[in-house]
Amino acid sequence: MVAEPEGPAEDRKPQSDEAHSAFTPPEGVEQPGPPEEDHPSSEFAVPAGLSPEPPQEPEGSAFALPSTYRSKESPPVFTPAYGIPVIQLPKDAPWQDRMRTMLRIPVSERPVPEPVQRHDETGPAVPRVLDLTLRIGELLLAGGEGAEDVEAAMFAITTSYGLDRCEPTVTFTLLSITYQPSLVDDPVTANRTVRRRVPDYTRLTAVYQLVADISAEDHEVKLDEAYRRLAEIRRNRHPYPGWVLTVAAGVLAGAASVLVGGGVLVFLAAAFGAMLGDRLAWLCAGRGLPEFYQFVVAAMPPAAIGVALTALHAGIRPSAVITGGLFALIPGRALVAAVQDGLTGFYITASARLLEVAYFFVAIVIGVLTVLYVGVQFEANLSPEGGLSTLERPVLQILASMVLCLTFAVLLQQDRSTVLIAALNGGVAWVIYGAIAVTADGSAVMATAVAAGVVGLFGQLLARYQHTSSLPYVTAAIGPLLPGSATYFGVLHIAQANMDLGFASLARAAALALAIAIGVNLGGEIARLFLRSPAAAGRRRAAKRTRGF
């Protein structure tokens, strides 16, 4: 018999099956510990009272702290404790170089210059400063200045009036500028459209002088004074009247014809054809016709006179007459500006300028080709085998090249003080071209590039000495190097149904034109190597090559 456990009746409850399990220890026996897998420690646990050793990082690991690391003396992560070194720009450097340096530095790294033009505590009038900047940029871009130089001038104006957080943008027909006072303020943006381009280098020089005075510390040019001077620049009449420009176009064509071997009669015929074409182009402009048709009309009279002289058997080579007339029409100024914009990273503006040059070139080809095709149909003896003589009379042709540059400068409305310098620069370029292409029997393209490089070098140095733009010293000086003869022979071959020879000659003309533009730009870049650098830490930066990606 098993004795019943004593106790109250209510404590004698039926037990569960688990209480009757064979693995359940009876009452009064010490209960066993939890299973091993439920135990909070194991044989690998560190005994109580001992501190664990820090984990050893492998030598050279990227996650290992340096042996000299101290949490209280941690190295700077982004902004050093002593601040970011300030880029110092010397005040005696030309404003063009200082502003180019600023534009090529990221906005977060640009130094904050002190405004040159002082104002009261209220600060400058932001809308008026932006409007003045856009108006000056419009005159520079319309005058043929490169996009980088226009942006540098716009940035110089805003910086001088205390607006340092500005971003100017220049395209072929649109100027815009954005000013943001701080990171929490809304930006202010203004823009202006350039609708008309007038090659007036006297006005261009005056605008450069205005920008230089605004950027100089020894000149105080308030906004009202800057607006007054800008209005005077706009109202100033051109230094040469219309009839002087027409005569200059004729003399330019005559000098170009002498340059390629013509005589007195050729000079007179080329001059008359160029003046007639210039007057017809003025008439078309007064009627509102686009420039494309103006170039077509201007190219026809010299070609017609050359064909007429051939039909009359006057003993005059028509090639010299027609080539002389083409020298006054080839858009060398626009081509140099286009290549310069492309080499400095303004690809949209460069593409637009090149397209403009292509349109003008096609217009010249159409005008000359129309007349030559009519002449060929009437069996005019237009033979390209006669060719053009080069440097048979070196002294006379050097003088002719200088006269060509002088008249080209007049057509560009240059100041009288720069006309003679441009003529001398062009004479030196022609001597270098003749020494390489004729005396040394070298490549015409290489000779053209070297001569244009010398023009760009001298032009840039002269511009920095005079604190003005380099265009008055460069554009007219490349006149003798323009590919007038290659263009004429290409058109003549096409008129005679020799398409292969025609397109080959036109391709050679394009190569010579590109050689001129690249040479001028390279000469200007070489000139900057001899100029004072803005700063060792803020030197003129450029984009790195992409390496194919």
Side-chain angles (χ1 to χ4, degrees):
M1 295 287 297
V2 179
E4 294 287 341
E6 299 181 357
E10 58 270 13
D11 290 340
R12 294 195 301 268
K13 296 179 181 179
Q15 298 180 355
S16 62
D17 295 339
E18 189 175 293
H20 296 280
S21 173
F23 300 98
T24 302
E27 294 182 3
V29 180
E30 183 181 359
Q31 299 290 330
E36 184 66 26
E37 59 270 12
D38 296 334
H39 201 276
S41 62
S42 65
E43 64 270 18
F44 299 103
V46 179
L50 295 180
S51 60
E53 296 182 359
Q56 297 294 331
E57 295 285 350
E59 185 177 356
S61 173
F63 302 99
L65 295 176
S67 59
T68 59
Y69 176 79
R70 299 293 184 274
S71 60
K72 295 183 179 181
E73 300 177 358
S74 60
V77 179
F78 177 73
T79 304
Y82 49 83
I84 300 176
V86 179
I87 299 176
Q88 298 292 338
L89 302 178
K91 299 180 180 179
D92 56 345
W95 65 266
Q96 297 96 324
D97 287 339
R98 288 189 284 112
M99 293 304 108
R100 283 195 188 94
T101 302
M102 294 282 286
L103 286 173
R104 296 190 177 193
I105 296 176
V107 179
S108 59
E109 301 178 13
R110 290 177 184 172
V112 181
E114 297 182 0
V116 176
Q117 308 301 328
R118 305 296 180 182
H119 299 277
D120 52 12
E121 296 180 357
T122 59
V126 175
R128 296 192 68 194
V129 173
L130 297 184
D131 179 72
L132 175 68
T133 303
L134 291 174
R135 291 178 182 273
I136 291 179
E138 177 191 7
L139 288 181
L140 293 176
L141 188 61
E145 195 61 81
E148 185 182 32
D149 294 325
V150 175
E151 283 195 359
M154 295 172 64
F155 193 76
I157 297 169
T158 56
T159 304
S160 300
Y161 284 109
L163 308 183
D164 57 291
R165 298 180 63 87
C166 286
E167 283 296 329
T169 304
V170 176
T171 58
F172 186 58
T173 58
L174 183 65
L175 297 169
S176 64
I177 187 168
T178 301
Y179 170 65
Q180 188 173 15
S182 65
L183 295 178
V184 297
D185 294 328
D186 295 332
V188 180
T189 303
N191 54 64
R192 194 173 183 87
T193 303
V194 179
R195 302 187 183 277
R196 186 181 180 188
R197 290 172 175 81
V198 180
D200 189 344
Y201 284 3
T202 300
R203 179 181 296 176
L204 186 69
T205 304
V207 174
Y208 257 80
Q209 185 61 47
L210 175 59
V211 177
D213 292 342
I214 293 176
S215 304
E217 291 188 349
D218 53 349
H219 287 77
E220 183 177 358
V221 184
K222 296 184 179 180
L223 280 175
D224 293 337
E225 176 68 16
Y227 268 105
R228 184 189 64 80
R229 291 180 57 178
L230 184 62
E232 290 181 354
I233 293 173
R234 285 181 173 273
R235 286 196 303 264
N236 282 344
R237 300 182 61 182
H238 299 306
Y240 309 103
W243 67 269
V244 173
L245 299 181
T246 301
V247 173
V251 176
L252 188 153
S257 65
V258 174
L259 199 65
V260 294
V264 178
L265 294 179
V266 172
F267 177 91
L268 295 176
F272 177 75
M275 288 189 291
L276 181 58
D278 183 76
R279 286 292 90 189
L280 290 176
W282 277 78
L283 180 61
C284 293
R287 297 292 182 178
L289 289 178
E291 284 185 296
F292 179 86
Y293 301 105
Q294 297 176 29
F295 272 84
V296 172
V297 173
M300 285 184 173
I305 292 177
V307 173
L309 292 175
T310 302
L312 295 175
H313 302 285
I316 298 177
R317 288 181 299 178
S319 56
V321 177
I322 300 175
T323 300
L326 293 179
F327 268 84
L329 298 177
I330 297 177
R333 171 182 56 89
L335 179 66
V336 171
V339 175
Q340 179 182 356
D341 289 342
L343 295 177
T344 52
F346 295 84
Y347 300 113
I348 297 178
T349 307
S351 301
R353 288 186 189 271
L354 286 176
L355 185 60
E356 181 189 39
V357 172
Y359 269 104
F360 291 161
F361 193 77
V362 170
I364 296 172
V365 170
I366 291 176
V368 177
L369 183 60
T370 302
V371 176
L372 293 184
Y373 182 76
V374 174
V376 170
Q377 297 303 315
F378 283 94
E379 298 181 356
N381 187 18
L382 298 171
S383 176
E385 283 76 11
L388 299 174
S389 60
T390 55
L391 294 183
E392 294 177 352
R393 303 158 296 177
V395 177
L396 180 60
Q397 291 174 327
I398 291 174
L399 294 177
S401 66
M402 296 177 64
V403 172
L404 190 153
C405 296
L406 189 145
T407 52
F408 203 172
V410 172
L411 288 175
L412 293 173
Q413 300 282 359
Q414 291 188 198
D415 188 73
R416 292 177 175 85
S417 60
T418 63
V419 170
L420 183 59
I421 299 177
L424 293 175
N425 199 9
V428 172
W430 180 255
V431 170
I432 294 175
Y433 172 82
I436 297 176
V438 179
T439 305
D441 198 17
S443 170
V445 176
M446 182 186 68
T448 301
V450 174
V454 174
V455 169
L457 174 64
F458 288 170
Q460 193 66 240
L461 294 177
L462 289 171
R464 296 310 172 86
Y465 178 75
Q466 298 292 337
H467 301 285
T468 184
S469 173
S470 62
L471 291 181
Y473 304 102
V474 171
T475 306
I478 64 174
L481 305 177
L482 294 175
S485 59
T487 303
Y488 162 69
F489 287 126
V491 175
L492 180 58
H493 282 299
I494 293 176
Q496 295 176 343
N498 297 324
M499 297 298 176
D500 294 339
L501 294 177
F503 285 113
S505 184
L506 292 179
R508 181 173 177 271
L512 292 173
L514 290 177
I516 293 173
I518 295 175
V520 168
N521 182 267
L522 182 60
E525 294 296 331
I526 293 176
R528 292 190 179 96
L529 299 178
F530 299 98
L531 299 173
R532 183 182 180 87
S533 176
R539 61 186 54 160
R540 186 170 178 259
R541 302 182 181 181
K544 296 182 180 180
R545 60 192 181 99
T546 59
R547 299 180 183 272
F549 53 84

